[in-house]
Amino acid sequence: MIDLRSDTVTRPTAAMRKAMAEAEVGDDVYGEDPTVRRLETKVAELLAKEAALFVPTGTMANQVALAAQTRHGDEVIIGIGAHCWRYESGALAALAGCQTQVVGNDGRFTAADVRAAYKAEDPYGAATRVVAVENTHNAMGGIVWDRGQLTEVTAAAHALGMTTHLDGARIWNAAVAGNVSERELADGFDSVSVCLSKGLGAPAGSVIAGPRDFIKKCHRLRKMYGGGMRQSGILAAAGIHALDHHRARLSEDHANAKVLAEGLAGAKGVKVLAPQTNIVMIDLERGTTAQVIERAKAQGVMLGAMRVDARVTTTEIQRIRAVVHLDVDCAAVTKAAQVIAEIAATL
Ligand SMILES: Cc1ncc(COP(=O)(O)O)c(C=O)c1O
């Protein structure tokens, strides 16, 4: 099966499993797991932040980080389709008690959008506290933010007294695609969440990074949210291995995403959005995503459907998402393009 539903479907490599099996561990709730400490130090250094905290998932990383810098009733400015707004089960409202103000129309937004969305201290309005950015932007097709625009947005937020959060679940892809370091992309953000279980291929785990006091608050919230793990060095070892061995190779995924897109370029019945990283969005000119997904699966290719927000388009779009990762190679994406093209031509 060629599974292109997400880059989360990867299985640990033999070398990663070996690193996990050999990991030195302890009870991390007692602060005694040396491998977890190693991972946290490594990520803090990579992102040039004071401290870091290992958490089980990207959702918990975002939600703990946002809860730590807000109070119930506050507002968070967010780009359209942002994971922490759209795909985290309403946690921002349910757990942090925050409302959101969605800006921009492709996941990115400008400093002017931030200034327009900000509500000055006013008893009638929610206090606008945080600006949240997602880079790369998943729901919009692995889009990479322009660095200048990131600097303008974070500076505008700080000038208005707000803090800034980066959902960097795929910061690794953004760094490789833009040929910049992760620390440059994290610059200007008060908090950053990163995932080890997406393109990097670890089985689980995310990390929050930021100032030491902030990470202390996150630590308490992690426990409250049920994310205190015991011998989690086994997972941290997978994360360390992924950081050491799977970052640079993301350029292969990006190249394979281009091969997939090019394979569909002349195909009938589909319009492909040029991929910037490892995510390929395929819009159907006829038929439904359900039809394509079912028929592709029967031919050994697994795909996902992506909802397109009404703010992005006034006409309904049937969009397929194909995500390239560690467990698919050039031959696999070439085959997938053929399968999709054949199906689309007969819809
Ligand atoms: C951009 C982004 N942030 C956060 C998450 C959440 O990660 P998890 O599935 O580990 O909760 C995802 C998951 O796909 C994501 O794409």
Side-chain angles (χ1 to χ4, degrees):
M1 207 37 109
I2 301 167
D3 193 345
L4 299 174
R5 288 172 301 164
S6 174
D7 48 8
T8 56
V9 300
T10 55
R11 294 189 172 82
T13 61
M16 184 180 278
R17 286 172 194 262
K18 184 166 184 290
M20 294 172 77
E22 290 172 359
E24 203 187 332
V25 296
D27 189 329
D28 188 50
V29 172
Y30 294 151
E32 290 172 1
D33 193 303
T35 310
V36 171
R37 286 297 84 68
R38 238 177 359 108
L39 172 67
E40 290 171 341
T41 305
K42 191 177 179 71
V43 173
E45 277 171 16
L46 265 175
L47 301 175
K49 302 294 177 200
E50 273 177 18
L53 184 75
F54 187 44
V55 294
T57 64
T59 299
M60 192 180 287
N62 281 333
Q63 294 304 327
V64 162
L66 289 166
Q69 47 202 304
T70 52
R71 293 174 51 179
H72 276 219
D74 284 349
E75 184 172 85
V76 180
I77 295 175
I78 233 154
I80 194 151
H83 201 278
C84 57
W85 165 65
R86 183 37 115 27
Y87 299 104
E88 297 185 2
S89 318
L92 204 47
L95 304 180
C98 290
Q99 65 179 43
T100 46
Q101 201 177 162
V102 179
V103 295
N105 56 19
D106 76 351
R108 294 169 290 195
F109 48 89
T110 63
D113 289 329
V114 169
R115 286 190 286 269
Y118 174 75
K119 296 186 184 75
E121 284 301 332
D122 161 9
Y124 290 88
T128 326
R129 294 275 184 233
V130 187
V131 174
V133 162
E134 187 174 310
N135 192 21
T136 67
H137 198 289
N138 167 27
M140 295 296 156
I143 287 181
V144 180
W145 277 69
D146 172 72
R147 272 191 65 214
Q149 197 167 334
L150 279 181
T151 307
E152 285 172 19
V153 161
T154 54
H158 289 147
L160 291 165
M162 292 185 276
T163 57
T164 51
H165 172 69
L166 173 63
D167 178 349
R170 295 184 181 79
I171 193 172
W172 327 109
N173 297 84
V176 164
N179 199 23
V180 289
S181 64
E182 289 84 0
R183 66 172 55 201
E184 286 170 278
L185 295 176
D187 189 37
F189 287 96
D190 299 289
S191 61
V192 183
S193 62
V194 298
C195 285
L196 305 164
S197 59
K198 311 278 177 314
L200 292 190
S206 285
V207 182
I208 309 167
R212 205 170 303 284
D213 281 0
F214 162 80
I215 291 297
K216 209 168 154 197
K217 268 195 195 171
C218 290
H219 195 167
R220 186 184 184 83
L221 283 163
R222 180 183 71 176
K223 194 79 186 94
M224 189 189 283
Y225 284 23
M229 297 182 285
R230 302 294 176 172
Q231 286 71 29
S232 41
I234 299 230
L235 293 173
I240 292 169
H241 180 88
L243 287 168
D244 288 343
H245 300 283
H246 296 168
R247 264 191 305 145
R249 65 149 305 284
L250 290 171
S251 57
E252 290 171 37
D253 294 347
H254 299 178
N256 285 337
K258 284 203 175 71
V259 169
L260 177 56
E262 279 158 17
L264 286 167
K268 280 201 200 113
V270 293
K271 194 169 136 254
V272 186
L273 281 61
Q276 294 185 12
T277 52
N278 64 326
I279 301 177
V280 186
M281 296 297 199
I282 306 155
D283 290 349
L284 305 180
E285 287 166 353
R286 294 183 294 275
T288 64
T289 53
Q291 286 174 308
V292 175
I293 289 169
E294 195 188 318
R295 286 170 62 181
K297 191 173 173 191
Q299 294 185 57
V301 177
M302 292 177 89
L303 300 164
M306 203 63 180
R307 271 196 52 166
V308 185
D309 205 287
R311 282 173 66 120
V312 178
T313 170
T314 48
T315 52
E316 197 196 343
I317 294 181
Q318 292 285 315
R319 180 169 288 175
I320 297 277
R321 186 181 80 152
V323 188
V324 178
H325 51 76
L326 188 59
D327 288 356
V328 288
D329 58 13
C330 189
V333 294
T334 306
K335 162 95 196 306
Q338 276 164 9
V339 167
I340 299 166
E342 277 164 28
I343 295 169
T346 60
L347 285 173

